[in-house]
Amino acid sequence: MRVRMPLSGPVTLAGCGEWLRCCGGGEPRPRTVWLGHPEKRDQRYPRNVINNQKYNFFTFLPGVLFNQFKYFFNLYFLLLACSQFVPEMRLGALYTYWVPLGFVLAVTIIREAVEEIRCYMRDKEVNSQVYSRLTAREINMRDWDFTELTVQQGIQTGTVKVKSSSIQVGDLIIVEKNQRVPADMIFLRTSEKNGSCFLRTDQLDGETDWKLRLPVACTQRLPTAADLLQIRSYVYAEEPNIDIHNFVGTFTREDSDPPISESLSIENALWAGTVTASGTVVGVVLYTGRELRSVMNTSNPRSKIGLFDLEVNCLTKILFGALVVVSLVMVALQHFAGRWYLQIIRFLLLFSNIIPISLRVNLDMGKIVYSWVIRRDSKIPGTVVRSSTIPEQLGRISYLLTDKTGTLTQNEMVFKRLHLGTVAYGLDSMDEVQSHIFSIYTQQPQDPPAQKGSAPTTKVRRTMSSRVHEAVKAIALCHNVTPVYESNGVTDQAEAEKQYEDSCRVYQASSPDEVALVQWTESVGLTLVGRDQSSMQLRTPGDQILNFTILQLFPFTYESKRMGIIVRDESTGEITFYMKGADVVMAGIVQYNDWLEEECGNMAREGLRVLVVAKKSLAEEQYQDFEARYVQAKLSVHDRSLKVATVIESLEMEMELLCLTGVEDQLQADVRPTLETLRNAGIKVWMLTGDKLETATCTAKNAHLVTRNQDIHIFRLVTNRGEAHLELNAFRRKHDCALVISGDSLEVCLKYYEYEFMELACQCPAVVCCRCAPTQKARIVRLLQERTGRLTCAVGDGGNDVSMIQESDCGVGVEGKEGKQASLAADFSVTQFRHLGRLLMVHGRNSYKRSAALSQFVIHRSLCISAMQAVFSSVFYFASVPLYQGFLIIGYSTIYTMFPVFSLVLDKDVKSEVAMLYPELYKDLLKGRPLSYKTFLIWVLISIYQGSTIMYGALLLFESEFVHIVAISFTSLILTELLMVALTIQTWHWLMTVAELLSLACYIASLVFLHEFIDVYFIATLSFLWKVSVITLVSCLPLYVLKYLRRRFSPPSYSKLTS
């Protein structure tokens, strides 16, 4: 995404220095933002506008023309056309040079205009999203349509609707549930009773976990949102920066006695691009436009030029070299007589057909056809081509870099397995778990089943029902999930909350894993119906409500890899410490057992995300002692986190292992066969995700990105050069091994051992990079391009994937549930990951092969007529006289041969079903054989042979008049081109037949009007017909024989599949 920000407000002379500092690329500065008073700014801020356009109204035409003529190819033809204004250099009518050039430019300008208009409409849609802004005006104000009003001290306060593009720093913006946050804001108030809200941030950082955000305490305590405009308060914030995980600032209220100050952190920040998942929030805007965290994490889009276009450009330079050589040879054979320098220029103009002006326009029109075919493919519905200039890139991808969340996975968790050591329950046996829970609560409703002695060493032989119950109860209590009740049209919110109405309940949590666990406990009979900061309520199958007091909560962190909770059962007074976490850390916390490691490995191999659940009963004295030490540790100033962790660890010993849970992140449809297809096509797949290492590894196994017989090397966390060196040496000793590495370790490796790391990583069958920042993703793409020289394709669905998509040679956006930011920035947009297989194997392959055939045929068409001109000039004493003039030269490359040649864009060597069934066919294209120096040389030799044959044949067989040479040679040339198209075609399409017949008919019909160049009476004679037939046969028959022999003795790989 590229964001251009016009400045808000007029620029005065006095403010010029400041303007230059802020908007001329100066250092960003900290800022003071007054709540609700955007006019009280201490510096100028960019407008909150998203702009992905390359041009504006005034720069469009100059910009397009500059981009066209900065390439040697187009500049050459412009100079060529301009030279015809000089009488000494003129070779024919002006229109023979200006009409083709004008047509090429017109096609380019129209295509660019269409893309710019589409881009403008997409930007307008985003910038026009409407939000509510809190505002204050004097009572006599009439020009605002207030939707709610409060009158205080002669001031009206209310809300007014504003577009996203009109939001300014200092505005108080209201964001509803499931609405996108329009700018970087500080969280001031929420409608939620618990005084917090959840954010979905996967569009920003790729993490599936919802983030808990807390409002500023001072503003949350105010009676109404309107009171925010009645207080004198401001936020002091750090300068805009790239860090999405940290924020430093302070909130100050001046009109209280004494003034109140609160520190602000990331917990109080709402970044643009995130989505509120609970309640309505009010925030004050801190950063807008290009200063947004999401924009600063997005690299500027580069103008993508396809590898195919660069190769064609290289071939045209070779042709230009040939043009210069031929011109010099002609003048040299004249012994540089007279004004030889003018003769060189005339010969350069005479042989200008060697470089075909129609090549560029044919290829551009071909790209438009490929784009249209992709959009119309019913097997990949909803696919959009946003950049019609690089469809050939899809046919030569060597590295595919994909996001995980929302791209490979649906981000929907499903509970799959409960393992108790001696017995495991899968999806098909969950009714047994339900019956165990039902039996526990219906047989002994008044006697809670979990009573135990306080001594943890007491061993009681328990029934299977009580074991299952203990496990389910632990899962139902050990989490950070909050049930929220919403109105469903029949029951209002307050009534639903009071009655614990099932149909109105929605679970909110920072992790979808936890929601899946709680939903599962509900399905087997133990339902979480209520929760606040200090208590939790569960409902049993007999509709009994169990009340628990939350004494302590230890949230999950990436360092600890576990979370814990201490609860007191209100009915028995029993205190229990529950804990769940990753097997690597829980193995040392639970009592000795002989099954944990083995079963965790088995479940992980199935692609399940495994959690180990344990508990420990605490006596009252035990808990009181712990609480005193815990509070003391939390009050310490030095090494607070270390002391707190030490106190908690004193409890985490000899815990009773209850169960293992297995949760699966549902993959997108057909992800496994699609990845298998890509692998067989010779494409290496790398997964770059912002998610946790364990989650990423599970998904890689589940999606078969890492095959069952492949080892996985998990790169140890390294922080310095020495550690990186040791770990790289350890990795070097592994063979055919998939690599899993975290973003922090990757940063260290790239800093000290960039070349060595990339060399090793490129040899891996698969690479998984987790905890990757958006800019890191883009850097990996760039390094792959530089180190391997191969084409890369990046696939993603979130705002955090935009940099990677724009940096890659070919970006594909998946339209996910969380918006269209990635798909709008991509070159191609698909609705599902599985469509990528067909996009590459069928459309990418066809686009590349068709363009290769088309470009070489257009070059052949031009070289043929140039060879004839060379023969003609050499026979007539090296005179710089054109063989064909006026309409003949224009008609040759347009109405006489354009349709058959262009119909090659419909050609295909195999059916799409065969291309999907045998992805190995795609692997052949990675070597670039369809368009190479070898194939180019073959076509050059064919052109010289045919051009010379036609011209010498016409000279040998012509009658007394020169006009007969023109008639015989030109007719033979047209017929030869039509037959050569027929020779090149591999699968006939009805439009190809129409194109051939239409072109022939156009030529025959136009002979009536060409009496200036061709003797109409002569072409009606039998002599003309047999001479043309003989010349055409001699020029084409040997090539048909060679094609037959090649197919017979050295058939291409695809011919075995089509026979």
Side-chain angles (χ1 to χ4, degrees):
M1 190 199 318
R2 189 151 39 86
V3 181
R4 183 173 61 240
M5 261 60 57
L7 293 169
S8 51
V11 182
T12 60
L13 194 61
C16 277
E18 200 170 60
W19 184 87
L20 286 168
R21 277 197 305 277
C22 178
C23 302
E27 286 294 313
R29 295 180 294 149
R31 60 192 58 189
T32 300
V33 178
W34 291 84
L35 268 61
H37 294 284
E39 69 281 356
K40 287 187 180 179
R41 51 178 172 243
D42 57 355
Q43 51 184 298
R44 294 190 178 277
Y45 306 119
R47 280 184 61 204
N48 200 41
V49 176
I50 287 175
N51 187 349
N52 289 304
Q53 291 170 254
K54 287 189 279 188
Y55 313 103
N56 61 33
F57 181 79
F58 299 104
T59 61
F60 175 72
L61 199 59
V64 171
L65 291 176
F66 172 76
N67 282 328
Q68 286 303 302
F69 292 124
K70 73 179 179 183
Y71 295 113
F72 163 79
F73 188 77
N74 292 333
L75 185 62
Y76 166 73
F77 285 112
L78 178 66
L79 295 172
L80 201 72
C82 291
S83 71
Q84 294 305 289
F85 290 114
V86 181
E88 289 87 352
M89 297 181 189
R90 183 175 294 182
L91 291 174
L94 279 174
Y95 69 84
T96 58
Y97 290 91
W98 281 101
V99 168
L101 182 63
F103 179 69
V104 170
L105 288 177
V107 169
T108 304
I109 289 168
I110 290 167
R111 193 191 72 224
E112 286 283 346
V114 169
E115 288 195 0
E116 280 295 287
I117 290 167
R118 282 181 184 161
C119 197
Y120 168 76
M121 297 307 290
R122 291 198 298 265
D123 291 344
K124 187 178 178 183
E125 185 184 345
V126 176
N127 292 327
S128 299
Q129 288 180 350
V130 175
Y131 294 85
S132 296
R133 181 178 69 198
L134 278 175
T135 124
R137 291 290 182 269
E138 293 180 10
I139 288 177
N140 60 7
M141 194 69 178
R142 295 179 187 175
D143 57 344
W144 292 102
D145 175 24
F146 291 105
T147 52
E148 38 175 278
L149 293 173
T150 312
V151 179
Q152 292 184 8
Q153 300 172 355
I155 296 288
Q156 269 186 347
T157 58
T159 60
V160 61
K161 300 293 183 188
V162 291
K163 290 181 179 178
S164 174
S165 57
S166 301
I167 290 172
Q168 299 178 28
V169 172
D171 281 345
L172 296 171
I173 301 297
I174 299 170
V175 184
E176 304 291 340
K177 183 180 177 182
N178 291 327
Q179 199 174 19
R180 183 183 70 90
V181 178
D184 289 351
M185 307 197 299
I186 289 298
F187 184 14
L188 300 177
R189 285 182 65 81
T190 176
S191 60
E192 293 290 278
K193 288 184 179 178
N194 58 10
S196 63
C197 90
F198 282 108
L199 276 187
R200 293 202 295 270
T201 64
D202 48 352
Q203 290 292 291
L204 185 68
D205 57 17
E207 292 185 20
T208 56
D209 300 358
W210 289 6
K211 306 294 188 299
L212 187 70
R213 292 291 182 260
L214 303 172
V216 177
C218 169
T219 51
Q220 180 65 20
R221 286 195 298 265
L222 295 173
T224 66
D227 293 319
L228 289 169
L229 294 163
Q230 310 305 322
I231 62 173
R232 277 179 51 79
S233 54
Y234 63 85
V235 172
Y236 180 78
E238 63 183 350
E239 69 279 359
N241 63 63
I242 204 168
D243 191 351
I244 57 175
H245 298 295
N246 292 294
F247 173 74
V248 177
T250 56
F251 175 87
T252 305
R253 180 175 178 181
E254 286 191 334
D255 59 352
S256 62
D257 191 21
I260 299 171
S261 282
E262 288 185 39
S263 66
L264 301 175
S265 68
I266 187 64
E267 287 188 332
N268 311 108
L270 308 173
W271 298 144
T274 58
V275 178
T276 54
S278 63
T280 301
V281 304
V282 181
V284 59
V285 176
L286 282 190
Y287 309 112
T288 53
R290 65 161 176 272
E291 295 178 344
L292 297 174
R293 290 289 207 271
S294 55
V295 173
M296 294 179 83
N297 269 286
T298 306
S299 56
N300 285 329
R302 63 191 182 95
S303 183
K304 294 184 183 179
I305 300 170
L307 177 61
F308 179 82
D309 292 321
L310 294 174
E311 289 171 345
V312 168
N313 207 34
C314 187
L315 294 182
T316 57
K317 287 175 182 174
I318 294 172
L319 290 173
F320 179 73
L323 167 64
V324 173
V325 169
V326 170
S327 302
L328 287 171
V329 167
M330 286 293 180
V331 176
L333 291 170
Q334 288 180 338
H335 307 294
F336 295 98
R339 298 164 71 184
W340 58 269
Y341 50 87
L342 268 179
Q343 284 298 314
I344 290 178
I345 295 172
R346 283 180 66 85
F347 275 119
L348 284 171
L349 294 168
L350 196 62
F351 293 118
S352 62
N353 278 319
I354 288 179
I355 305 175
I357 190 170
S358 57
L359 177 59
R360 184 80 270 146
V361 76
N362 270 287
L363 290 176
D364 284 352
M365 288 167 67
K367 293 172 197 286
I368 292 168
V369 171
Y370 309 147
S371 302
W372 183 81
V373 170
I374 291 170
R375 282 197 292 267
R376 295 274 302 204
D377 190 342
S378 59
K379 292 186 179 175
I380 47 172
T383 302
V384 179
V385 181
R386 302 199 190 279
S387 177
S388 59
T389 57
I390 54 169
E392 297 92 356
Q393 300 280 76
L394 292 169
R396 305 174 71 181
I397 301 300
S398 296
Y399 287 92
L400 184 96
L401 300 103
T402 175
D403 178 40
K404 179 186 75 71
T405 311
T407 304
L408 294 179
T409 68
Q410 298 178 24
N411 198 16
E412 290 179 5
M413 306 297 168
V414 177
F415 190 94
K416 284 288 184 81
R417 187 76 50 83
L418 178 72
H419 206 298
L420 301 176
T422 54
V423 62
Y425 297 97
L427 283 176
D428 54 348
S429 53
M430 288 304 174
D431 52 339
E432 292 181 40
V433 178
Q434 196 170 3
S435 63
H436 283 310
I437 298 296
F438 189 78
S439 66
I440 285 283
Y441 283 106
T442 49
Q443 288 170 14
Q444 307 164 346
Q446 74 288 348
D447 185 19
Q451 288 190 7
K452 272 177 58 86
S454 59
T457 52
T458 307
K459 292 189 177 178
V460 181
R461 184 173 179 80
R462 293 177 292 157
T463 63
M464 182 54 70
S465 288
S466 65
R467 284 182 62 198
V468 170
H469 168 257
E470 278 298 332
V472 174
K473 188 168 84 165
I475 296 167
L477 288 171
C478 187
H479 53 72
N480 208 347
V481 181
T482 306
V484 176
Y485 293 86
E486 298 173 346
S487 172
N488 64 356
V490 180
T491 314
D492 66 11
Q493 186 177 347
E495 184 67 22
E497 202 166 330
K498 191 176 177 182
Q499 300 294 328
Y500 298 137
E501 188 66 47
D502 287 347
S503 61
C504 303
R505 185 170 50 250
V506 178
Y507 292 118
Q508 291 180 348
S510 63
S511 167
D513 301 51
E514 293 207 309
V515 174
L517 292 172
V518 172
Q519 284 174 337
W520 175 77
T521 64
E522 179 182 357
S523 71
V524 296
L526 209 53
T527 308
L528 174 71
V529 291
R531 179 178 185 149
D532 55 29
Q533 302 281 8
S534 59
S535 67
M536 209 183 308
Q537 290 79 39
L538 300 181
R539 187 171 64 199
T540 68
D543 278 340
Q544 179 189 359
I545 301 297
L546 304 177
N547 289 294
F548 295 88
T549 302
I550 301 171
L551 300 175
Q552 299 291 345
L553 181 68
F554 314 116
F556 177 91
T557 65
Y558 294 116
E559 291 74 32
S560 69
K561 292 185 172 60
R562 58 191 182 273
M563 71 89 56
I565 190 169
I566 301 177
V567 295
R568 187 200 305 272
D569 189 334
E570 290 297 303
S571 58
T572 63
E574 182 182 324
I575 299 173
T576 312
F577 174 34
Y578 291 107
M579 176 166 278
K580 69 178 181 194
D583 55 312
V584 286
V585 292
M586 294 296 286
I589 291 172
V590 298
Q591 294 167 350
Y592 173 77
N593 62 85
D594 57 1
W595 60 274
L596 175 64
E597 187 177 349
E598 183 185 351
E599 292 304 333
C600 282
N602 291 339
M603 288 166 74
R605 275 188 286 278
E606 292 178 43
L608 300 178
R609 297 160 77 153
V610 184
L611 284 175
V612 181
V613 184
K615 78 164 199 174
K616 186 176 190 177
S617 295
L618 302 176
E620 185 68 41
E621 308 81 52
Q622 250 183 308
Y623 174 70
Q624 294 299 339
D625 172 56
F626 165 79
E627 187 182 35
R629 289 185 292 119
Y630 186 62
V631 170
Q632 190 65 38
K634 283 171 77 176
L635 289 173
S636 59
V637 178
H638 301 293
D639 299 326
R640 180 188 298 176
S641 56
L642 183 67
K643 289 176 180 174
V644 167
T646 306
V647 174
I648 297 172
E649 282 169 13
S650 67
L651 275 187
E652 297 172 343
M653 291 184 294
E654 290 297 303
M655 295 188 73
E656 181 188 348
L657 175 59
L658 296 177
C659 65
L660 304 182
T661 63
V663 175
E664 183 182 73
D665 187 355
Q666 291 283 77
L667 292 173
Q668 297 261 7
D670 294 334
V671 160
R672 288 175 189 147
T674 302
L675 289 174
E676 183 71 22
T677 298
L678 296 173
R679 215 174 7 250
N680 292 339
I683 299 172
K684 289 190 175 182
V685 183
W686 289 30
M687 187 168 84
L688 312 180
T689 175
D691 225 329
K692 301 188 287 288
L693 186 138
E694 293 82 4
T695 313
T697 310
C698 277
T699 304
K701 290 176 182 173
N702 197 17
H704 296 175
L705 177 66
V706 178
T707 55
R708 288 182 181 276
N709 56 356
Q710 276 174 356
D711 289 331
I712 294 180
H713 178 82
I714 297 179
F715 207 89
R716 208 164 45 82
L717 189 66
V718 295
T719 54
N720 57 51
R721 184 171 189 154
E723 290 176 358
H725 180 73
L726 291 171
E727 192 61 22
L728 279 169
N729 283 341
F731 178 46
R732 188 177 275 109
R733 289 191 286 272
K734 304 272 183 86
H735 297 287
D736 192 37
C737 177
L739 172 66
V740 179
I741 186 168
S742 68
D744 294 336
S745 299
L746 179 71
E747 197 66 36
V748 175
C749 289
L750 293 180
K751 184 177 179 182
Y752 298 112
Y753 298 106
E754 183 183 289
Y755 178 80
E756 292 84 350
F757 174 79
M758 291 304 295
E759 185 183 28
L760 288 170
C762 289
Q763 293 168 6
C764 292
V767 176
V768 178
C769 298
C770 52
R771 305 293 292 159
C772 261
T775 45
Q776 262 184 329
K777 291 183 178 185
R779 188 181 175 196
I780 293 167
V781 173
R782 192 160 54 248
L783 284 170
L784 268 177
Q785 292 165 341
E786 291 169 359
R787 295 291 175 198
T788 65
R790 299 301 185 96
L791 293 188
T792 58
C793 174
V795 190
D797 74 314
N800 61 316
D801 303 316
V802 169
S803 293
M804 167 175 80
I805 284 169
Q806 291 180 335
E807 188 63 45
S808 66
D809 296 295
C810 183
V812 179
V814 181
E815 285 195 12
K817 300 173 185 174
E818 309 299 340
K820 297 183 177 182
Q821 199 173 350
S823 70
L824 291 176
D827 305 304
F828 302 88
S829 169
V830 295
T831 54
Q832 295 180 51
F833 183 82
R834 65 188 174 124
H835 292 168
L836 198 63
R838 188 173 175 85
L839 189 65
L840 298 182
M841 300 302 117
V842 176
H843 295 291
R845 187 173 180 275
N846 284 345
S847 298
Y848 176 45
K849 287 188 76 88
R850 288 165 175 173
S851 283
L854 179 63
S855 61
Q856 291 175 131
F857 207 95
V858 172
I859 289 170
H860 158 265
R861 184 175 67 185
S862 298
L863 284 176
C864 260
I865 199 167
S866 299
M868 290 171 70
Q869 178 68 57
V871 171
F872 176 76
S873 291
S874 58
V875 168
F876 288 96
Y877 309 104
F878 310 107
S880 55
V881 177
L883 170 60
Y884 304 123
Q885 292 191 5
F887 185 77
L888 286 184
I889 202 76
I890 289 182
Y892 170 65
S893 57
T894 54
I895 62 168
Y896 298 150
T897 59
M898 181 176 74
F899 298 116
V901 171
F902 188 68
S903 70
L904 290 172
V905 301
L906 301 172
D907 194 17
K908 57 183 176 185
D909 53 356
V910 294
K911 291 181 179 178
S912 57
E913 293 78 16
V914 175
M916 288 297 292
L917 195 60
Y918 297 99
E920 290 79 8
L921 289 170
Y922 186 91
K923 198 183 289 187
D924 291 344
L925 302 189
L926 300 181
K927 297 165 186 172
R929 285 176 179 165
L931 181 70
S932 62
Y933 290 120
K934 179 185 173 183
T935 58
F936 172 67
L937 185 62
I938 289 168
W939 276 103
V940 168
L941 294 174
I942 289 170
S943 306
I944 292 170
Y945 164 73
Q946 289 186 324
S948 304
T949 302
I950 293 168
M951 198 63 235
Y952 277 120
L955 288 168
L956 286 170
L957 300 174
F958 90 107
E959 302 293 327
S960 53
E961 296 185 30
F962 172 72
V963 75
H964 293 175
I965 297 180
V966 174
I968 294 170
S969 65
F970 194 74
T971 306
S972 299
L973 179 61
I974 298 296
L975 291 174
T976 298
E977 285 301 315
L978 297 182
L979 287 171
M980 282 300 292
V981 169
L983 177 70
T984 307
I985 289 170
Q986 289 162 328
T987 306
W988 281 86
H989 189 281
W990 66 270
L991 280 173
M992 293 172 171
T993 311
V994 170
E996 291 267 326
L997 296 174
L998 181 66
S999 295
L1000 189 60
C1002 283
Y1003 178 61
I1004 294 168
S1006 68
L1007 289 175
V1008 180
F1009 309 104
L1010 297 175
H1011 51 80
E1012 186 184 341
F1013 311 107
I1014 293 174
D1015 184 350
V1016 180
Y1017 298 105
F1018 172 67
I1019 61 173
T1021 63
L1022 195 62
S1023 170
F1024 169 79
L1025 292 175
W1026 78 259
K1027 288 174 183 177
V1028 166
S1029 301
V1030 167
I1031 292 170
T1032 306
L1033 203 64
V1034 172
S1035 72
C1036 291
L1037 189 61
L1039 296 171
Y1040 272 83
V1041 172
L1042 284 171
K1043 181 181 179 181
Y1044 171 77
L1045 292 174
R1046 184 167 175 267
R1047 287 220 162 204
R1048 183 82 174 78
F1049 297 107
S1050 179
S1053 56
Y1054 60 81
S1055 63
K1056 299 166 189 172
L1057 305 175
T1058 53
S1059 58

